[in-house]
Amino acid sequence: MSARTVVFLRHGRTEYNAAMRLQGQVDIPLDAVGHWQAEQGARSLAAAHAATVVVASDLTRAAETAGYYGKATGLSVALDERLRERGFGEWEGMTGEELAERWPDEYAAWRRGEEPARAGAESRADVAARMVEAVTEHAGALDEKDTLVVVSHGAAITLAITALLGLDPSTWRGISGLNNVHWSQLQRSGANAHPAWRLVAHNVGADFSLDEWASGPDWIFQPTSA
C-alpha cells in the first residue's frame, strides 16, 4: 500500500533567500516575510489538500513552515533529516557574485548544470536517493486514499520529483524550482505503470502576486508604536 498523493512544500523566506545566498544545510530560521508566507500558504494548502501525515526536514526553516501547516490542519509534524536541503560544502552562505569571484571556473560549470567540483557538495544523485528513500518510506506506511505532505527545500524537492518521475537527477534539469511556500503534487500511477508517480501540479501557491509574495505586505516592515 502507499499514499495516492504526495505534496512537496518548500519552506518560507529566510534572510539568506532575501540576500540571494546559497543556503544548503545552514540552519537558518524564517524571516518576518517567511513567517507570513508560511501562515498564508498553510491556509491555502490546507484548503486544497487534506493531509494524512506531514513530514518535514529537520532544518529550522522547513520545520517552522511545517508547523504552520500542522496548526492549520490539526496534524503533528514528524521531522526527518533525510529531507534536508542539498549540502553545498564551502559554498554555503555565499552569494553568486562571491562564488564567481572565488571559484570562477567551478561556478561557471555549476551554472551550466555540472556538479560543483571541489566544493564538498552532495551530488544530485545522492540527494535524490535519500529524498526518495524518505518519501517512499513515509508514503508506504499510508493507505491508497491518503495524502502525504513533505516540507523540504528547493533543490531537494526538485531532485526528488525528477527521480520519482523516473528521470536521471544527475543530468535532467527540466523541472523549475519552487517559489517559497509553493507546492507540487504527485499522484501515484496505476498498477505496474512506469514511472510510478505523475506530476499533476507544480509551483502552486496562495493567491498573491509574485511580487507581493516575495517581498511581503507593507505592514510587516512598519515599526510598532511604543
Side-chain angles (χ1 to χ4, degrees):
M1 301 296 290
S2 177
R4 178 172 176 78
T5 301
V6 173
V7 176
F8 288 97
L9 176 67
R10 188 188 175 202
H11 63 79
R13 200 185 84 166
T14 69
E15 290 182 2
Y16 273 24
N17 287 145
M20 301 293 289
R21 293 189 177 277
L22 186 60
Q23 291 184 117
Q25 295 186 3
V26 175
D27 196 9
I28 185 169
L30 300 177
D31 64 10
V33 172
H35 281 284
W36 172 79
Q37 291 173 336
E39 183 175 21
Q40 297 298 321
R43 294 173 183 170
S44 295
L45 181 58
H49 294 283
T52 309
V53 169
V54 184
V55 295
S57 158
D58 63 343
L59 296 179
T60 301
R61 58 191 184 272
E64 288 179 332
T65 302
Y68 282 99
Y69 181 72
K71 182 178 179 180
T73 58
L75 295 171
S76 60
V77 177
L79 302 182
D80 190 329
E81 67 179 13
R82 293 174 295 179
L83 301 175
R84 288 181 179 183
E85 180 59 297
R86 181 184 185 186
F88 279 95
E90 295 180 86
W91 287 11
E92 293 185 350
M94 295 189 176
T95 65
E97 290 79 7
E98 291 168 340
L99 292 172
E101 180 179 354
R102 295 185 60 179
W103 291 277
D105 295 337
E106 291 87 349
Y107 180 70
W110 180 52
R111 298 299 295 173
R112 291 195 301 268
E114 301 171 21
E115 298 281 10
R118 297 200 301 272
E122 283 185 280
S123 71
R124 294 189 183 94
D126 286 347
V127 178
R130 62 173 167 79
M131 287 288 293
V132 169
E133 178 184 72
V135 171
T136 301
E137 178 182 307
H138 291 291
L142 301 179
D143 186 77
E144 62 181 2
K145 295 181 180 179
D146 292 336
T147 295
L148 172 68
V149 169
V150 177
V151 186
S152 186
H153 310 264
I157 290 173
T158 301
L159 291 166
I161 292 174
T162 299
L164 288 167
L165 295 180
L167 300 165
D168 184 354
S170 298
T171 59
W172 201 80
R173 302 181 71 211
I175 297 176
S176 65
L178 295 172
N179 297 113
N180 290 114
V181 196
H182 278 53
W183 60 87
S184 296
Q185 176 187 348
L186 271 68
Q187 188 166 310
R188 180 164 288 283
S189 303
N192 301 317
H194 182 79
W197 296 92
R198 296 174 184 265
L199 182 65
V200 297
H202 184 61
N203 206 22
V204 180
D207 190 18
F208 292 87
S209 71
L210 288 180
D211 286 342
E212 182 180 6
W213 190 250
S215 61
D218 292 340
W219 60 261
I220 287 180
F221 304 100
Q222 293 176 355
T224 57
S225 58

